[in-house]
């Protein structure tokens, strides 16, 4: 029973961390280093949870675990969207920078 309690505690920590990541990803200025650290922390929590599931496979059938899997999918989708937006902004910046370089040739 202790392992199960520990599993649900870590699972709650994972869900809390997901909420922090989602919050950071929705800010106007994204701090990539902070996001990377949060994702690293999340990975460590997840590895611990997966290890517990290997020990007690029935934990993977819990509603809370299934909800955490769905939340993970949402976090991944949001990260992909933000990466796409960042890529588009970078493309616009590079295009503008090339235009400035072209104009400087005439000065």
């Amino acid at each position: 029973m202790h392992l199960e309690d520990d599993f649900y505690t870590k699972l709650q920590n994972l869900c809390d961390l997901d909420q922090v990541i989602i919050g950071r990803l929705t800010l106007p200025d994204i701090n990539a280093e902070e996001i990377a650290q949060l994702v690293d922390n999340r990975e460590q929590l997840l590895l611990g949870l997966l290890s517990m599931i290997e020990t007690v496979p029935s934990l993977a059938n819990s509603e809370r675990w299934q909800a955490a899997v769905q939340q993970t999918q949402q976090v991944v989708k949001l990260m992909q969207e933000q990466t796409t937006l960042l890529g588009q902004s970078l493309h616009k910046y590079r295009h503008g920078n090339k235009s400035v370089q072209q104009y400087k040739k005439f000065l």
Side-chain angles (χ1 to χ4, degrees), residues 18 21-22 25 71-80:
D18 282 345
I21 291 171
I22 289 169
L25 288 172
Q71 189 171 15
T72 296
Q73 291 169 341
Q74 292 173 341
V75 170
V76 169
K77 181 180 176 189
L78 183 58
M79 290 179 87
Q80 288 172 333

Side-chain angles (χ1 to χ4, degrees), residues 34-52:
E34 181 183 17
I35 297 292
Q37 182 62 47
L38 291 170
V39 170
D40 286 346
N41 293 346
R42 186 185 193 286
E43 182 180 11
Q44 293 305 312
L45 273 172
L46 189 56
L47 289 173
L49 287 165
L50 291 173
S51 174
M52 290 176 180

